[in-house]
């Protein structure tokens, strides 16, 4: 199964939408990231492996499987660690460990080894771009929520960890997991 998750990056003042595709096949254990990744993106393999393991799931670098992550479009250089969250969720979706509909959702954030999310740069521009492209929801580190809330008419989910996002996606639509409106976000201390 191939999973497709949307993410984004900032290059100067320009936002690029990046589709993260994850494919898992039988074979000798390998984990490759393709699509012109820089050093920070290439190092994501180790961050993602640890974050998934420390969130209670079987990590990509365990077992006999070939994992290929494609960051599309392939002709744009991918920079930074913004794609960690999307790659981790794509892997878990492709492996069947979680199920959710990624359409109209954008995921950005760097993962720490324990699965927590670290703040990212350029969240305001990414949220603004996501809104113009028709995305309904954006998931990002909670430290970026107030900045992101300046853009209205898009649902913002401030997140602390990969595990928190997975639990939310599993129970999406239940009363206890309602999205926070931008008006409420600015009141969070």
């Amino acid at each position: 199964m191939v999973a497709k998750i949307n993410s984004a990056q900032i290059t100067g003042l320009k936002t690029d939408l990046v589709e993260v595709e994850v494919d898992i096949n039988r074979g000798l254990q390998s984990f490759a990231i393709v699509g012109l990744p820089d050093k920070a993106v290439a190092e994501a393999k180790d961050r993602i492996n640890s974050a998934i393991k420390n969130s209670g799931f079987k990590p990509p670098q365990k077992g006999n499987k070939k994992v290929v992550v494609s960051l599309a479009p392939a002709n744009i250089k991918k920079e930074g660690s913004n794609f960690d969250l999307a790659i981790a969720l794509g892997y878990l979706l492709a492996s069947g460990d979680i199920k959710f509909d990624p359409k109209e959702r954008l995921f950005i954030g760097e993962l720490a080894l324990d699965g927590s999310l670290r703040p990212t740069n350029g969240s305001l521009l990414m949220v603004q771009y996501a809104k113009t492209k028709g995305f309904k929801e954006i998931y990002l580190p909670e430290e970026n929520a107030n900045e992101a809330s300046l853009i209205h008419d898009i649902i913002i989910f401030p997140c602390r960890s990969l595990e928190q996002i997975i639990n939310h996606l599993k129970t999406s639509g239940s009363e206890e997991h309602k999205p926070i409106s931008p008006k409420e976000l600015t009141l969070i201390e």
Side-chain angles (χ1 to χ4, degrees):
M1 176 179 161
V2 175
K4 295 180 182 184
I5 307 282
N6 289 299
S7 191
Q9 75 172 0
I10 300 295
T11 308
L13 291 175
K14 180 178 177 270
T15 305
D16 294 314
L17 182 65
V18 176
E19 187 175 67
V20 177
E21 299 174 304
V22 181
D23 185 38
I24 302 172
N25 288 302
R26 289 179 165 242
L28 293 176
Q29 195 287 314
S30 69
F31 189 129
I33 300 176
V34 299
L36 287 179
D38 73 354
K39 184 78 169 156
V41 177
E43 289 173 349
K45 293 184 275 191
D46 294 321
R47 288 190 303 273
I48 291 163
N49 190 62
S50 292
I52 288 174
K53 176 183 65 98
N54 291 319
S55 296
F57 294 92
K58 189 175 177 183
Q61 295 177 352
K62 187 158 180 125
N64 290 327
K65 58 188 162 215
K66 180 180 178 179
V67 179
V68 178
V69 176
S70 175
L71 305 176
N75 63 332
I76 298 172
K77 185 163 179 72
K78 313 310 178 301
E79 300 175 329
S81 54
N82 274 359
F83 310 112
D84 289 6
L85 178 58
I87 294 170
L89 289 170
Y91 169 78
L92 291 168
L93 188 60
S95 68
D97 288 335
I98 62 172
K99 293 184 187 332
F100 71 97
D101 186 0
K103 291 180 184 164
E104 298 182 341
R105 293 174 168 163
L106 190 78
F107 299 89
I108 57 172
E110 176 184 338
L111 288 171
L113 299 182
D114 65 358
S116 62
L117 279 172
R118 293 197 169 117
T120 185
N121 293 325
S123 60
L124 181 64
L125 290 173
M126 287 186 269
V127 173
Q128 184 177 22
Y129 185 79
K131 180 183 170 186
T132 64
K133 291 298 183 184
F135 286 93
K136 304 289 186 229
E137 300 175 3
I138 187 160
Y139 295 76
L140 47 67
E142 68 181 352
E143 291 88 350
N144 296 111
N146 283 329
E147 177 186 352
S149 71
L150 295 173
I151 306 300
H152 297 279
D153 300 323
I154 187 165
I155 301 168
I156 298 163
F157 289 95
C159 306
R160 288 183 300 282
S161 69
L162 176 62
E163 186 175 9
Q164 181 190 30
I165 294 169
I166 291 167
N167 289 335
H168 167 77
L169 292 171
K170 282 184 193 176
T171 58
S172 208
S174 75
E175 285 300 308
E176 67 181 77
H177 290 282
K178 286 186 174 181
I180 298 172
S181 73
K183 187 183 226 181
E184 293 171 303
L185 279 174
T186 57
L187 300 175
I188 294 173
E189 297 291 326

